[in-house]
Amino acid sequence: MDQRLYETGLTTDQFIAQLGANREKFEQLLAECVLDDEQRRALADSPAYNVLVIAEPWSGDVLYNLPVLLCTAAAAGWSVRIFRRDEHPELIMPYRKDGLYLSIPVFVFYDTEFNEVANWIERPAVATKTIDDESLALRRRLREEHKAAWRQATLAELLTLPRDLNA
């Protein structure tokens, strides 16, 4: 990471100013983030980090996870700069989730010489597992509850396709 590029990122206040409709909820979640004494002690020994954040104001995962990073960074004395994913697509490419998805937020931790030491993407693993499990259960339930109607809708849509698919 080039330090000059890093410095062009948004400050926390600049990003919060761009949140629009999510600003109130974001500020509430930020205010609710409180570290206990053990967490503060652990951060007291933390190296100095420069944290690059890739985010967008509309993202639910940004809304819920960026306040935790900001709270942690404030307690640890880390520097944070935020880049909008859609304005800086080159930044997220190395951090595609599963090599495919442009998931946000992305937190990239650099040492004082701007060497990458760690990164974190989207949400905690336990949240992803819960969301995936619940989504699968919901899809299965909805398919079963609506199977007759959805089959008829499928048939109706198939009948509207051109008769000669090579046309």
Side-chain angles (χ1 to χ4, degrees), residues 28-142:
Q28 173 195 340
L29 292 168
L30 185 57
E32 290 173 357
C33 182
V34 178
L35 302 174
D36 63 31
D37 290 340
E38 184 178 332
Q39 292 165 328
R40 286 188 180 283
R41 278 192 298 277
L43 288 171
D45 297 331
S46 171
Y49 288 122
N50 297 293
V51 185
L52 180 142
V53 174
I54 305 169
E56 284 291 339
W58 47 259
S59 167
D61 286 310
V62 169
L63 180 67
Y64 280 85
N65 295 311
L66 182 53
V68 177
L69 172 78
L70 296 177
C71 173
T72 304
W78 300 338
S79 169
V80 176
R81 288 291 184 271
I82 304 167
F83 290 82
R84 301 274 305 264
R85 181 195 68 187
D86 297 345
E87 293 174 9
H88 300 277
E90 73 285 359
L91 292 178
I92 198 165
M93 295 312 281
Y95 304 102
R96 290 173 290 180
K97 189 168 187 175
D98 301 328
L100 299 169
Y101 307 106
L102 304 178
S103 301
I104 49 177
V106 173
F107 306 150
V108 186
F109 296 81
Y110 298 97
D111 63 18
T112 56
E113 301 298 316
F114 284 89
N115 299 300
E116 182 176 339
V117 295
N119 66 71
W120 185 92
I121 302 173
E122 191 177 29
R123 66 177 77 98
V126 65
T128 297
K129 181 172 180 358
T130 301
I131 289 168
D132 289 350
D133 291 350
E134 292 290 324
S135 294
L136 179 59
L138 175 63
R139 285 193 307 273
R140 286 178 176 162
R141 182 179 58 79
L142 291 173

